[in-house]
Amino acid sequence: MPKDVSKDSGQTSVLRAPALSPQPVSVTRKMAASLPGLRKLATEKGLKIHHLGAGYPHPEVTDPRAFLAHKARYFEHLTSTSGINNPDDIPEYLRESYAYTDTLGPVSVRENFARVYGGDWNVSIRPDFLLPTVGASGGISLLCSLFERPGVPLAYITDAPTYAGFIARAQLASQARIYSVEMDEEGPVVANLRQQIEAARADGRLVPFYYSVPDGHNPAGFSFSDRRRREILAVLRELGVLIVEDAPYVYISYASEKERPRPFLSLDPAMTVHLFTGSKIGFPGPRVGFLYSEATVSIQGDRQVPLRDLLLTESSADILFHNPEALYGFEALLHDEDMKLRESLWPVAEGKLVVYRENRGIILDGLDRGLGALSAHFTWTVPQAGFFTVFRFLDEGITTDDAFVQRLVADHGIVVIPMYDFYPRDARERNPRAGLDELRLSFCFTESQGEARRRDLAESVAAFCKAVRSLTGL
Ligand SMILES: Cc1ncc(COP(=O)(O)O)c(C=O)c1O
């Protein structure tokens, strides 16, 4: 019998699985775990807690009650237009909502989404190529699973810094390694992107894709320029690597219609795997997402197959099918008050943007007011989309590690997220100080609403500026 005894349960383990090891815990989860204790410490000192850390949608724009009423009306509309005369008969949507369905999910949902989303981004979307996913996270996982399946050494190319959820998923597979690419103010440095792909191939690794968040980058707090997007595409086309475009913030956009950069989806759907999520334009709870790609892959035996076919098989063996009721609920969101299919999701986005635009203004104005005169010492990004700005200390002597952010909570009541953990391991090996001069400030979440929200956020940013001045002695 193995001698290994679990300290927690006091039980002897039954299964021997020495190949398994625990995964590292992300800094956001560590922060969340240590927050109650730090919060207690801060409140004992009479400090108010200032939320600049949480990346959640704001409660003011995610009250589900109006949506549920709209959904109920939409479902009534589906019943009344279903041609059913006998009240005992079950309408199609209802029967399907609680039945086993196809992995692609209800056809009407995909057709309607293809029309509305395609219209918004000026791209013709094929409904039969829309694959329902469990949020954008499900899309990331599905792609990784597909390429991990053959067991060959893999390289995932991504930005430094990159989305924590992608790092977490990528490092689940021991045969995969992240090769990261430093960014400048327009996006990933294209020469480095090329270099990393070539280095990974020289190391004998398959390079399936470059993963990024081009609009409202989480955590980098900016959007890629149009010029950079085209440069990225040119390199990836030449080298035969797909781009995975994680797009949760395309509608959480502060740019005017003319200034909005085009997503990769609309620049080249044959080079792109686009991940749409309902989490920010709608609600995270129903876990609605779609993966879309017109890419073709050359596989075993030199066969050319649509990536969509491979992913569909993968998905049917994985989730089998998405929750059809949630998909019909999403379809309700695609319809207006008169139950007409919307021409665009922008009016829905506007319902969210009223809060996020205002919050962004409060944060950027507050930083300008509090630290604008000290621009030789600090910078911050001005996000064109998304939930975040990245604040950077330009002077040496500040290290934004766990101890630093814990002090910010305990001594100033300020919750922010350190950036270093968003840098993949290789980026930190190249530059051990990567991210250790940066903090991610989010402006999406407060506990309060309306006027109290505005006041709380203004107080938070003022408190942050004061703390920064005190910590740096400026
Ligand atoms: C870049 C990015 N990708 C994916 C997600 C997760 O999205 P979903 O709820 O669709 O899984 C988030 C959530 O914050 C995100 O910021």
Side-chain angles (χ1 to χ4, degrees), residues 55-57 133-140 162-166 211-219 246-249 275-280 283-285 287-290 387-388 440:
Y56 310 134
T133 56
V134 180
S137 308
I140 293 172
T162 192
Y163 172 50
F166 179 70
Y211 165 89
S212 190
V213 191
D215 288 281
H217 195 290
N218 175 9
D246 190 2
Y249 305 108
L275 304 179
F276 167 84
T277 175
S279 292
K280 307 299 184 309
F283 302 86
R287 310 306 295 132
V288 168
F290 289 105
F387 286 169
F388 312 105
R440 192 191 73 178

Side-chain angles (χ1 to χ4, degrees), residues 132-278:
T133 56
V134 180
S137 308
I140 293 172
S141 188
L142 191 67
L143 274 163
C144 291
S145 294
L146 175 74
F147 292 107
E148 286 158 7
R149 188 79 50 220
V152 299
L154 283 179
Y156 293 137
I157 313 290
T158 190
D159 308 312
T162 192
Y163 172 50
F166 179 70
I167 299 181
R169 178 58 189 83
Q171 63 194 15
L172 284 184
S174 55
Q175 85 264 33
R177 219 169 70 203
I178 288 181
Y179 286 63
S180 66
V181 181
E182 272 71 24
M183 295 198 280
D184 60 23
E185 60 285 350
E186 286 192 59
V189 176
V190 174
N192 295 17
L193 176 65
R194 173 189 291 279
Q195 236 168 37
Q196 288 295 64
I197 293 170
E198 286 171 349
R201 285 183 172 162
D203 291 342
R205 292 175 182 271
L206 168 68
V207 184
F209 57 74
Y210 156 65
Y211 165 89
S212 190
V213 191
D215 288 281
H217 195 290
N218 175 9
F222 73 103
S223 299
F224 297 176
S225 70
D226 188 65
R227 174 175 57 186
R228 187 60 55 85
R229 290 172 200 237
R230 289 167 199 275
E231 290 167 354
I232 293 167
L233 260 182
V235 169
L236 296 185
R237 269 195 205 112
E238 181 196 325
L239 298 179
V241 173
L242 298 174
I243 167 150
V244 175
E245 176 173 49
D246 190 2
Y249 305 108
V250 278
Y251 286 110
I252 311 297
S253 169
Y254 313 109
S256 70
E257 198 179 331
K258 278 207 194 97
E259 291 169 343
R260 244 177 248 146
R262 285 170 66 186
F264 284 98
L265 165 73
S266 112
L267 293 174
D268 192 344
M271 279 296 300
T272 305
V273 183
H274 185 82
L275 304 179
F276 167 84
T277 175

